[in-house]
Amino acid sequence: MENTPLHPPARRPTIHVMLTPEFHAYFMRLAMREAAKAAEAEEVPAGCVIVQKPQSPGIPLAAVKVLARAHNQTELLNDSTAHAEMIALTQASSALGDWRLTGTILYVTKEPCPMCAGAIVLARIPLVVWGVSDPKRGGHSVFSILNHPNLNHRPEILTGVLEPECRTMLQEFFRARREEN
């Protein structure tokens, strides 16, 4: 006879805090500041911020813990993996002392590439927010990495946050690069 409990083990309740569009826009602006740093360094202007998800509604934005801020540094470091998201994932893991980044939100100005999308899945980030999608090379738009049914984690996705501003930043960067050449 199987030894099964009469009652299933109690689950910890999931705390769902409704985050407003203003909340997401605030942290996307922080990511945009990082993207501006990348552009100043002649890197593709992508910026990323990872925050700890608030546990209660109405928490002041200034009280939300920012775990990581990063921008693209592939040219500076001569490293093809030095994307804003990869650097931010390392910083956030260090800040939390854990590679599992449950209870966090990742903000990035541009849709993650396949490499970054894979790392986001492995880090177990529950919510990924980006400004502008990349329908030609995006890890989600093209390859569906963030919601692939064979992967063990599928984050929620919120797109289009401050999209016009993020798109303009990228377009201006690439327009200037074409004019230089």
Side-chain angles (χ1 to χ4, degrees), residues 81-166:
T81 69
H83 291 195
E85 300 96 321
M86 300 298 283
I87 295 167
L89 289 168
T90 299
Q91 289 175 2
S93 293
S94 180
L96 292 176
D98 194 348
W99 61 268
R100 292 172 196 88
L101 299 178
T102 58
T104 65
I105 305 169
L106 183 143
Y107 293 89
V108 64
T109 55
K110 177 179 128 356
E111 178 182 353
C113 73
M115 171 185 67
C116 294
I120 288 165
V121 168
L122 293 174
R124 314 291 198 277
I125 297 210
L127 176 59
V128 179
V129 181
W130 67 75
V132 63
S133 293
D134 186 353
K136 291 184 180 178
R137 292 169 293 281
H140 180 69
S141 295
V142 177
F143 300 100
S144 301
I145 293 169
L146 297 176
N147 68 356
H148 196 282
N150 292 341
L151 296 174
N152 63 337
H153 175 73
R154 289 177 290 285
E156 290 184 50
I157 300 165
L158 176 61
T159 66
V161 174
L162 300 183
E163 181 176 5
E165 295 93 327
C166 293

Side-chain angles (χ1 to χ4, degrees), residues 29-41 43-48 70-72 84 109-110 166 169-170 173:
R29 283 190 191 91
L30 293 182
M32 289 180 67
R33 286 184 197 160
E34 290 298 317
K37 291 177 188 177
E40 287 172 27
E43 301 271 0
V44 173
C48 183
H71 56 275
N72 277 359
T109 55
K110 177 179 128 356
C166 293
M169 185 179 291
L170 283 163
F173 174 80

